[in-house]
Amino acid sequence: MSRFGALFHWAAVIVLVGATLAAAADSSLSALPFTVPMGPDGVQRATITLDSYSYSPEHVIVEAGEPVELTLTSVTILTPHNFIIDDPASGLSVEQDVKAGKTVVVRFTPPRPGVFAMYCDKKLPFFPSHREKGMEGKFEVR
């Protein structure tokens, strides 16, 4: 291998390792619990990004009995998603479609404490659902 070829090879290796480490650091940050702040009007507001098979943040914490307003932003180009929390026993049931590249706002008041799955159940025939591909997070009500 020529000197230029070897230099190019090692530069490519360094770029790939750096990109992998950056992605790992970014995903570990999104796994940290995010406590939704209470606004002066008593509404808990947060933005959740819907990407290819992930939510960010993926662990959201809110207070029971207080209104929640989530801005759901899809950053995908073609793939639609949704945001579901479905726990009828707790009285918490939220389902909102979000088209690719769009933003929607969902409002609700979680009635009681608990830890619930938030997930996307979209899927193409004969393929795993988005939830099965990892598009699931925790919605914690304290």
Side-chain angles (χ1 to χ4, degrees):
M1 187 179 319
S2 71
R3 236 185 225 178
F4 178 74
L7 181 63
F8 180 77
H9 170 79
W10 285 110
V13 168
I14 291 169
V15 167
L16 287 173
V17 169
T20 302
L21 291 174
D26 185 49
S27 68
S28 67
L29 288 176
S30 70
L32 295 174
F34 175 72
T35 301
V36 177
M38 181 79 68
D41 58 355
V43 177
Q44 303 170 89
R45 287 186 180 85
T47 296
I48 297 179
T49 302
L50 291 70
D51 203 347
S52 295
Y53 316 118
S54 68
Y55 291 114
S56 183
E58 64 184 49
H59 184 172
V60 177
I61 302 170
V62 299
E63 295 295 322
E66 302 295 337
V68 173
E69 182 179 286
L70 299 177
T71 301
L72 307 172
T73 300
S74 172
V75 296
T76 58
I77 296 171
L78 297 173
T79 308
H81 292 294
N82 61 17
F83 178 88
I84 298 173
I85 303 171
D86 189 24
D87 192 274
S90 72
L92 187 56
S93 184
V94 178
E95 185 169 348
Q96 179 64 57
D97 285 326
V98 185
K99 293 180 180 178
K102 300 296 180 187
T103 297
V104 297
V105 176
V106 63
R107 295 174 183 88
F108 58 96
T109 301
R112 61 180 64 100
V115 178
F116 311 98
M118 58 183 191
Y119 60 92
C120 176
D121 71 353
K122 297 288 188 186
K123 70 178 282 175
L124 290 172
F126 311 110
F127 289 95
S129 72
H130 294 187
R131 185 179 193 182
E132 292 169 319
K133 290 182 173 187
M135 194 165 185
E136 182 173 350
K138 287 184 188 176
F139 191 82
E140 185 175 344
V141 182
R142 293 184 176 169

